Amino acid sequence: MDQVRAYLTSQLLGNLAALLVMPILVVGVIQRVKARWAGRKGPPLMQLGYDLWRLARKRSVLSTTTTAVFQLAPYVVLVTALGSACLVPLAGGPALASFRFDFVWFAYVWGLGRVALILGALDTGSAFEGMGASREATFSAILEPALFLAAGALSLASGERELSLLLVPQVAGGAALVVWAGALVALVIVVQVEAARMPIDDPTTHLELTMIHEVMVLDHSGRELAAVQWASAIKLYVGLSVLATLMHPRTPGLPGVALHLGLCLALAAALGLSESLIARLKLRTIPQYLVVALSAGAVALLAALAMAGRLGILR
Amino acid sequence: MSTAAEPPASSAGDAALSHPLHREDVRALQRLDPGAWRTQLMARVRAGARPLTVYGRRDGDRVLLTAVLLGEGGFSLLRTSVHPAGGYHELTSEIPALHCFERELHEQLGVRVAGHPWLRPIRYQGKDQAAMNSYPFYRVEGKEVHEVNVGPIHAGVIEPGVFRFACFGEHVLHLEIHLGFQHRGVEERLLRKDPRALAPLVETIAGDTSAAHAWAYAAALEALTAPAGGAREASGGAQEASGGTQEASDGAAARARARAIALELERVAMHLAGLSGLAADVGFVPGASTYGRLRTTAINTTMNLCGSRFSRGAIRPFAQPQRGGLALAKLVQKNLTLLRTDLAIIHECFLSSRTVRHRLAGVGVVSADTARQLGLVGMAARASGVALDARSPGRGAFAAPPLDVCVEPAGDCLARARLRIAELSASLRWLELACAEGLAEPAAPEPARPLLPEQLAIAVVEGWRGEVIHCVETDEQGRVIHYKVQDPSLRNWMGLAMAVRGNEISDFPICNKSFDLSYCGNDL
């Protein structure tokens, strides 16, 4: 009974509250930092929440060329984003759910969302959306191994098989530090791509020809648009939570929650700051940037293998 | 026809004028037969003269073609009369820079231009506007080739126009630009009103180039007017130099200075707007916000001078309507100092950012050779290493203080950005020196005088985008029978189409922004 109550209070309520509030707040922090840097006041921190509420009450406009795929896609994207959120500690404590090798599930839940988004984009028959879909598919194909390399390395080094546990940082010794740093670099780039942030994608641009993620949702409106935008925010927060979990030791109780949430907000501010200071990459050079993630992941895996004494093959 | 033997009717060399200006007695202008016209035009271009414009007007059931060239010895004009159905054989294959003029002749007047390789509509004039949707886009065939259509309605507050890309993956094979959505019949409208009351209309030909168009209009009209001294309707000589007293020429100099201040402030404001847009398009937040903020200072300065942030009413023929006075001069100086100090910081920040350079360098390259062949003008030409500036060599208002002409050799998007930065600094330096000598007090318009009969005035003004050309012709009674307007965009759009070839389609927006061309200036 106590266990159930503990689960309810710490795991369920904490994670759910974080899931509701933090994605919107994180987007607000990024916008605020960019606005301040540009000399503007910026929108309210919870602006995305108002926007979602506004959109959710609007009717959607559908092109006659679209089918049910187009209407269904945003909800698949939303559900997959929520699905991925279940596996990651969102408020410092344990995750909502975890099971052996759940990082595979995590990767392919994101993959499923991406496929749904791509199909929805292709369903419009628009040249813009087709280009965006092609870019998204190309870049995520390059990026997918990076996620597995990083997760595999962390899993091997820590001996854990669950995402929420293998992310807990272990930096005792040189090899462990290499694993940690390599995985961190790989995951930072994975989050940048998955959340469609600079320097890969410019979420604020109005230029359809340069967009990747944004162009795929150009035709969505009303409730569907709200679903996609909410899903993007959730994915961003899930990504930041993965990074934050990797960056702080697990601390029980309220200090742990505060540490985690504070770190997530700091990461969001850092993201906003980086987006304020640099221009976007040329589309042609993005694959090179993604290869950095692959290499970092590979380095982490090699170090993890060395730690586990399984590098005999190299001797 | 003006030949080398005859003293040129041109006033291009006249020290009192800031820009090339020319008046030609149409009665003395020989009408060549089409063959000779063609040969002479080609010969003069080969000899180094630059075609400024080729245009036509209806003359009974025939069409009068006029070619205006500018060379070492000043202006030279060639005129012929052709039958529309007979037309003449194209020159574009020999001189690609003429492509837009021949297309315009064909579209505007139905002149047959035999053998023209690219006889595409320029703007769908008048009634043809209904046929807008039938534009014959060039198609690249192939299984892997796909077409992307952008426009005519764009995201954001931008003018309408269609960009049709033929792509191989992300790679652009061909871009075709279909304009005309902003056609308002400007040239016809200019003939409907009293020629002295056209300024408000002229200022809307391209709303971001108001001062340049207004100055070209005012210069052309003033050149067409009889000197105040009497009916000296001579066939040559610039009136500013030949007629009037010392006081009159002092007044003209003060007027030219005020006009030049409006023109340079417009250049500063538009270069700031362009750089802000370019920074926003590459996602560089500090540039986007700071250049945008400083543009407000520039256009507010214009408002202090003439009451409009967009130079409306800054230039009127025969008048100097801008405000003057010591207090205003001090305010303008303060604004210019603010611009200079803040721009130094943001230029440094923009140009030293590795990511900005990475994004702009090597993108959208137009070689000097291509720029010359296509007849690019103004900013687009100078960024490709072609030193073409109607303000040079410094005459009139640009003689003292002197104005530096900037050229960048690389021809890519970075060169166009650097050129705008260099021109900003040059114009600000000039403005600071010019305003330090005080601002001209407003002067009431001179009493209206009749226009000289059968004269053709050609005024060239270097707007921020490039040369703005106005050609105004009068009939036997001194009424305006033809008003030809040419915005630099007409010639430069093809430069953008060529710049994008072989680039990535995702780089098109920054190429487009770096050229910063006018849709309504082309569509008229």
Side-chain angles (χ1 to χ4, degrees):
Chain A
M1 199 61 205
D2 279 353
Q3 268 181 334
V4 173
R5 187 179 295 151
Y7 175 82
L8 277 177
T9 49
S10 75
Q11 235 167 315
L12 191 67
L13 286 182
N15 278 311
L16 279 183
L19 183 60
L20 273 180
V21 178
M22 288 303 282
I24 292 165
L25 188 60
V26 158
V27 171
V29 165
I30 295 177
Q31 280 175 345
R32 178 62 65 90
V33 169
K34 286 180 82 168
R36 279 292 152 86
W37 197 258
R40 290 182 287 114
K41 278 167 89 173
L45 282 175
M46 300 305 274
Q47 182 62 44
L48 179 65
Y50 306 130
D51 287 345
L52 293 178
W53 178 237
R54 173 174 55 81
L55 286 171
R57 286 175 301 158
K58 281 192 167 186
R59 270 190 313 142
S60 39
V61 181
L62 295 173
S63 147
T64 47
T65 50
T66 58
T67 64
V69 174
F70 177 75
Q71 270 178 285
L72 203 61
Y75 300 111
V76 176
V77 175
L78 180 58
V79 169
T80 55
L82 290 169
S84 69
C86 294
L87 302 176
V88 176
L90 297 177
L96 275 174
S98 59
F99 47 90
R100 277 168 66 84
F101 300 112
D102 55 0
F103 57 85
V104 180
W105 202 74
F106 180 83
Y108 286 109
V109 151
W110 270 10
L112 181 64
R114 200 181 304 125
V115 169
L117 199 59
I118 289 174
L119 287 179
L122 292 177
D123 196 38
T124 61
S126 136
F128 292 145
E129 303 220 6
M131 277 196 308
S134 136
R135 290 167 185 167
E136 175 96 357
T138 311
F139 296 150
S140 52
I142 303 175
L143 200 67
E144 197 177 272
L147 182 58
F148 279 108
L149 286 171
L154 288 171
S155 170
L156 203 57
S158 63
E160 301 287 354
R161 299 291 176 262
E162 283 114 47
L163 188 62
S164 57
L165 297 177
L166 63 85
L167 284 175
V168 176
Q170 295 170 350
V171 285
L177 197 64
V178 172
V179 174
W180 179 80
L184 186 64
V185 169
L187 288 175
V188 163
I189 295 176
V190 167
V191 170
Q192 279 182 330
V193 176
E194 287 292 343
R197 306 304 305 191
M198 300 267 275
I200 289 100
D201 201 357
D202 184 357
T204 56
T205 186
H206 64 276
L207 306 166
E208 305 97 332
L209 292 176
T210 69
M211 295 174 179
I212 302 172
H213 177 81
E214 292 302 313
V215 74
M216 291 197 292
V217 302
L218 273 187
D219 282 26
H220 286 296
S221 53
R223 230 178 294 164
E224 283 85 30
L225 183 59
V228 177
Q229 289 192 347
W230 193 24
S232 299
I234 291 172
K235 271 177 87 172
L236 175 62
Y237 181 63
V238 168
L240 292 181
S241 260
V242 166
L243 298 179
T245 313
L246 199 57
M247 289 165 78
H248 69 78
R250 180 151 286 186
T251 320
L254 273 179
V257 175
L259 186 62
H260 185 86
L261 299 185
L263 204 53
C264 280
L265 292 178
L267 282 171
L271 203 58
L273 195 64
S274 76
E275 294 190 4
S276 304
L277 294 175
I278 56 169
R280 210 189 135 189
L281 283 176
K282 257 181 209 166
L283 202 64
R284 189 165 11 113
T285 49
I286 290 176
Q288 295 168 21
Y289 187 66
L290 302 186
V291 168
V292 173
L294 281 179
S295 324
V299 167
L301 189 65
L302 282 176
L305 285 172
M307 270 174 79
R310 292 193 195 162
L311 269 187
I313 198 165
L314 293 182
R315 278 195 205 110
Chain B
M1 188 193 99
S2 71
T3 60
E6 184 187 343
S10 161
S11 32
D14 184 5
L17 294 168
S18 315
H19 282 103
L21 175 68
H22 178 78
R23 193 180 76 215
E24 182 93 5
D25 193 329
V26 180
R27 286 163 295 194
L29 190 63
Q30 189 192 337
R31 283 192 194 178
L32 304 164
D33 68 77
W37 179 79
R38 208 176 158 276
T39 324
Q40 288 210 21
L41 178 54
M42 218 137 70
R44 288 192 191 184
V45 171
R46 294 240 167 85
R50 193 170 65 84
L52 283 183
T53 179
V54 180
Y55 66 91
R57 71 170 168 90
R58 280 212 179 79
D59 183 34
D61 60 344
R62 297 181 73 80
V63 170
L64 273 182
L65 305 184
T66 312
V68 183
L69 298 118
L70 188 57
E72 294 281 309
F75 284 87
S76 67
L77 273 71
L78 292 169
R79 183 164 267 193
T80 183
S81 167
V82 298
H83 198 271
Y88 70 101
H89 195 267
E90 55 90 25
L91 282 160
T92 298
S93 306
E94 300 287 335
I95 311 164
L98 298 179
H99 78 94
C100 50
F101 306 131
E102 297 197 317
R103 285 160 63 191
E104 195 182 39
L105 284 177
H106 177 75
E107 181 176 80
Q108 223 168 36
L109 303 157
V111 176
R112 193 175 80 98
V113 188
H116 193 286
W118 196 255
L119 212 51
R120 302 290 157 126
I122 291 261
R123 59 176 76 95
Y124 285 96
Q125 191 118 6
K127 288 195 203 91
D128 296 345
Q129 285 268 306
M132 216 50 168
N133 291 330
S134 63
Y135 188 92
F137 284 107
Y138 183 80
R139 295 197 69 135
V140 181
E141 302 286 335
K143 210 171 144 197
E144 305 280 314
V145 175
H146 67 103
E147 276 189 350
V148 179
N149 183 80
V150 185
I153 300 164
H154 300 278
V157 188
I158 322 174
E159 293 179 85
V162 176
F163 301 97
R164 181 75 63 92
F165 299 87
C167 297
F168 181 73
E170 298 277 343
H171 192 82
V172 178
L173 299 174
H174 173 75
L175 161 63
E176 195 153 357
I177 303 168
H178 161 32
L179 301 174
F181 298 88
Q182 298 275 72
H183 180 61
R184 297 143 291 161
V186 166
E187 289 177 342
E188 291 150 46
R189 272 161 210 275
L190 287 170
L191 293 179
R192 286 193 211 146
K193 270 188 169 177
D194 178 357
R196 285 168 202 80
L198 293 176
L201 186 56
V202 164
E203 285 172 339
T204 62
I205 291 171
D208 52 11
T209 321
S210 297
H213 276 287
W215 194 353
Y217 154 71
L221 202 67
E222 285 160 11
L224 279 179
T225 310
R232 190 181 355 194
E233 46 165 290
S235 59
Q239 88 224 28
E240 268 112 328
S242 57
T245 58
Q246 181 64 32
E247 277 164 45
S249 82
D250 276 357
R255 202 163 66 189
R257 166 68 63 85
R259 287 173 179 179
I261 288 175
L263 183 74
E264 293 311 309
L265 274 173
E266 186 172 81
R267 190 184 318 279
V268 166
M270 287 312 297
H271 280 350
L272 286 170
L275 287 167
S276 167
L278 198 59
D281 287 359
V282 300
F284 188 64
V285 177
S289 55
T290 306
Y291 284 126
R293 165 174 73 80
L294 293 174
R295 170 180 167 268
T296 308
T297 306
I299 58 178
N300 282 355
T301 311
T302 307
M303 183 176 70
N304 289 327
L305 289 175
C306 70
S308 158
R309 303 210 293 173
F310 307 109
S311 329
R312 302 277 166 93
I315 296 172
R316 287 288 177 269
F318 309 106
Q320 201 299 91
Q322 294 175 38
R323 273 177 267 165
L326 216 60
L328 187 56
K330 272 208 182 112
L331 178 71
V332 172
Q333 283 285 0
K334 207 182 90 200
N335 288 351
L336 292 173
T337 313
L338 173 93
L339 283 173
R340 179 164 46 83
T341 36
D342 281 14
L343 278 176
I345 301 165
I346 189 64
H347 287 334
E348 165 68 19
C349 173
F350 184 74
L351 289 176
S352 65
S353 163
R354 288 175 65 92
T355 48
V356 169
R357 270 184 291 148
H358 163 80
R359 193 83 169 78
L360 296 178
V363 174
V365 180
V366 178
S367 68
D369 203 34
T370 310
R372 262 190 223 102
Q373 278 200 5
L374 289 177
L376 299 192
V377 294
M379 206 173 80
R382 292 196 289 276
S384 290
V386 180
L388 209 62
D389 193 324
R391 297 169 296 169
S392 100
R395 290 176 305 244
F398 299 115
L403 186 98
D404 307 326
V405 171
C406 313
V407 176
E408 285 282 334
D412 55 2
C413 287
L414 185 62
R416 285 185 282 276
R418 292 176 68 105
L419 182 85
R420 297 187 94 163
I421 287 173
E423 291 196 351
L424 260 179
S425 312
S427 289
L428 281 172
R429 262 198 308 277
W430 183 89
L431 279 166
E432 279 194 272
L433 290 171
C435 293
E437 296 169 19
L439 297 170
E441 290 295 333
E446 296 165 11
R449 293 191 304 275
L451 300 185
L452 297 171
E454 296 201 76
Q455 299 289 314
L456 168 61
I458 297 149
V460 183
V461 170
E462 189 72 23
W464 64 271
R465 221 180 246 125
E467 56 186 32
V468 165
I469 302 172
H470 284 217
C471 307
V472 190
E473 190 173 338
T474 52
D475 66 2
E476 298 87 350
Q477 274 89 48
R479 291 173 307 201
V480 173
I481 43 167
H482 193 226
Y483 200 124
K484 178 77 203 135
V485 176
Q486 187 178 311
D487 191 85
S489 306
L490 177 74
R491 308 185 76 173
N492 283 357
W493 275 113
M494 188 56 94
L496 171 62
M498 290 300 135
V500 173
R501 276 198 182 173
N503 280 256
E504 306 240 326
I505 190 169
S506 62
D507 285 337
F508 168 72
I510 56 172
C511 291
N512 189 22
K513 193 74 219 173
S514 73
F515 276 87
D516 216 347
L517 299 174
S518 169
Y519 299 67
C520 59
N522 178 88
D523 296 350
L524 297 180

